[in-house]
Amino acid sequence: MGWMADEAGLGKRAANFVPLTPLSHLRRAAVVFPDREALVYGARRLSYAQYHGRVSQLASALSRAGIASGDVVATVLPNILPQVEASFGIPACGAVLNTINIRLDVDTVAYILSHGEAKYVLADTQFLGLVEAAIARMDGPAPQIIEVADEAAGFPATGRHMEYEAFLDTGDADFDWIMPQDEWESLALNYTSGTTGRPKGVVYHHRGAYLMTMGTPVSWNMGLYPKYLTIVPLFHCNNWNHSWMMPLLGGTIVCCRDVSAKAIYDAIGDEGVTHFGGAPIVLNTIINAPEDHRRAFDHTVEVFTAGAPPPAATLAAVEPLGFNVTQVYGLTETYGHVTETTWNGPKWDGLDQAGKAAIKARTGVMMPMMEHITVMDEHMQQVPMDSEAAGEIVIRGNSVMKGYLKNPAATEEAFAGGYFHSGDIAVQHADGYIQITDRAKDIIISGGENVSSVEVEGVLMHHPAVSLCAVVAKPDDKWGEIPCAFVELKDGEDVEEAELVAFARERLAGFKTPKVVVFCELPKTSTGKIQKFELRKSLKEG
């Protein structure tokens, strides 16, 4: 080992070892880019100095309200300025950020608030009724509500709770942030979509988020001062960590509350947006925009897309409009995207548009912050890279969750064999590129949201007229996939499609509700197991 055998005096100390955390990016940006535009939301614009000051006020106000290190503070907010501020302000007081999906039903929100033990919840007034109803269903300690008004969007303060701006006024803009002493400390708590029952609480650490923010700009060809549009929900994997990343680059975050083609084109035309992420449904929205919603622009907009793999036809249609699309893949458990379809220019530049689109529809290869991502069989052996042998995508790297909150058994199962098990089935090409072929446990991805077929089936089976049902993904031009229910009725019973859809809608979030119901005798094996592959086949043929 030579001279390295003696490392006397070479230990870690304050001067040479600082725990990695994305909080460092905004603290630096306030010094390096104080006057640069940091946040845009409608008519509101904040410089980095102002952004840092408001984040400090939020952290201070929470601390003065009794929030201590390790406490959980939740949010139920759309893509608006306070949610971006909360992404830094909540951890800056040592707390754990818990962003909650605004599309969830009352019972699930109540479960998340209870399971995560949130002490406070920041709630947009559009969703205040949802949060209040969820709290009313909780049995144990309930969080204190801070309501977030958005007057410009038509959601004023209600007066029922302290409003966000008034709460900020109780804080100190010079508050000394509580930085992590260990980069393994918990930064955020994100809940899965509950594809196998109750949603699981995924715990992120500071190190993983920091490395996501360092690896993403490399893959996305980002230089300084990008302008990023928040199409990915800020509650979804913390906006794929992009809001933590932007201060690193002195970039501008343009908030988008309501995603529409007009809003996207206006942001590009008026604000010069250069980057955004979104599910394939967003690409279809852009493609199908009416002429009066389109805007001319003279630069290429870089887009990360994830969710169900985008159809090659979608990619072929969107790129001539001025968008360069890169497919990425990941899960809540991996902080968002961890693979990308890295473009091999010399090899693929000569392909026609259809050929290029087919390549871009692949799941890709691991991103810079990851250690190893591949496809293995049930014995944890590498599958042949022949584009045919199927296995499970397994993942290893620093941007993998700490584990599932209060669920050690599920954590051990997910990490069996030294890798995180994605549950996604794929093949691998000779060049190492992964391509998903199916999703384990029949998960449906609708508009970027995961839908459990088992959950939907469980709801429909409660209808008194239903004997058996099976829910599968139906391809859809707008949403990518939609839940389609095949239903076998009890003898002598009769029910209309609209009644079953309404029945499900009363018990499920909107994106989980079946959009199509087919009444038929379900195909079964000799042992009575429903053959879902036959149902999928019938949808493709029909």
Side-chain angles (χ1 to χ4, degrees), residues 104-126:
L104 294 175
D105 56 279
V106 171
D107 183 61
T108 304
V109 173
Y111 172 79
I112 290 171
L113 291 173
S114 177
H115 186 263
E117 301 180 37
K119 299 292 180 66
Y120 272 80
V121 55
L122 278 58
D124 185 274
T125 52
Q126 181 182 1

Side-chain angles (χ1 to χ4, degrees), residues 248-286:
L248 168 71
L249 306 167
T252 304
I253 295 177
V254 180
C255 295
C256 182
R257 181 183 182 111
D258 298 308
V259 177
S260 67
K262 187 177 187 304
I264 294 171
Y265 274 110
D266 283 348
I268 297 169
D270 295 336
E271 303 295 341
V273 160
T274 59
H275 295 75
F276 68 82
I281 183 177
V282 176
L283 306 182
N284 290 327
T285 298
I286 293 169

Side-chain angles (χ1 to χ4, degrees), residues 103-351:
R103 302 170 187 167
L104 294 175
D105 56 279
V106 171
D107 183 61
T108 304
V109 173
Y111 172 79
I112 290 171
L113 291 173
S114 177
H115 186 263
E117 301 180 37
K119 299 292 180 66
Y120 272 80
V121 55
L122 278 58
D124 185 274
T125 52
Q126 181 182 1
F127 307 102
L128 191 55
L130 166 67
V131 174
E132 289 172 334
I135 287 175
R137 290 196 187 182
M138 295 175 63
D139 294 327
Q144 183 79 26
I145 295 175
I146 299 168
E147 65 175 65
V148 179
D150 190 352
E151 300 241 6
F155 303 105
T158 69
R160 298 200 295 271
H161 311 276
M162 177 174 274
E163 205 279 323
Y164 179 74
E165 294 296 333
F167 185 70
L168 281 192
D169 288 341
T170 68
D172 180 4
D174 294 322
F175 178 75
D176 187 15
W177 292 13
I178 300 174
M179 303 294 279
Q181 298 304 298
D182 184 339
E183 57 196 24
W184 189 251
E185 287 179 22
S186 298
L187 168 66
L189 172 63
N190 292 290
Y191 280 80
T192 65
S193 298
T195 56
T196 55
R198 283 295 194 185
K200 295 193 284 289
V202 174
V203 183
Y204 291 176
H205 47 80
H206 286 258
R207 176 183 176 84
Y210 179 90
L211 291 171
M212 283 287 287
T213 66
M214 300 298 284
T216 300
V218 176
S219 292
W220 219 356
N221 295 315
M222 287 178 133
L224 290 176
Y225 317 131
K227 294 196 173 182
Y228 168 73
L229 181 63
T230 60
I231 298 299
V232 175
L234 286 158
F235 58 71
H236 182 52
C237 305
N238 301 111
N239 192 240
W240 298 353
N241 292 224
H242 292 333
S243 48
W244 283 324
M245 173 187 70
M246 291 305 290
L248 168 71
L249 306 167
T252 304
I253 295 177
V254 180
C255 295
C256 182
R257 181 183 182 111
D258 298 308
V259 177
S260 67
K262 187 177 187 304
I264 294 171
Y265 274 110
D266 283 348
I268 297 169
D270 295 336
E271 303 295 341
V273 160
T274 59
H275 295 75
F276 68 82
I281 183 177
V282 176
L283 306 182
N284 290 327
T285 298
I286 293 169
I287 293 166
N288 298 317
E291 283 301 321
D292 60 345
H293 288 182
R294 298 174 186 265
R295 295 282 296 276
F297 53 95
D298 59 5
H299 63 282
T300 299
V301 179
E302 296 290 337
V303 182
F304 268 1
T305 190
T314 297
L315 294 173
V318 75
E319 295 207 333
L321 299 176
F323 302 88
N324 181 53
V325 180
T326 300
Q327 187 188 181
V328 294
Y329 159 82
L331 308 94
T332 303
E333 290 90 339
T334 62
Y335 298 62
H337 52 279
V338 288
T339 76
E340 60 167 348
T341 308
T342 305
W343 191 251
N344 187 331
K347 184 177 179 181
W348 297 330
D349 283 345
L351 295 173

Side-chain angles (χ1 to χ4, degrees), residues 13-48:
R13 59 189 74 200
N16 64 19
F17 184 85
V18 179
L20 302 178
T21 172
L23 299 183
S24 300
H25 298 327
L26 183 52
R27 293 215 306 184
R28 170 181 173 270
V31 175
V32 179
F33 311 116
D35 300 321
R36 290 201 67 88
E37 196 168 70
L39 295 179
V40 173
Y41 180 49
R44 294 199 67 182
R45 294 170 187 274
L46 297 181
S47 68
Y48 270 104

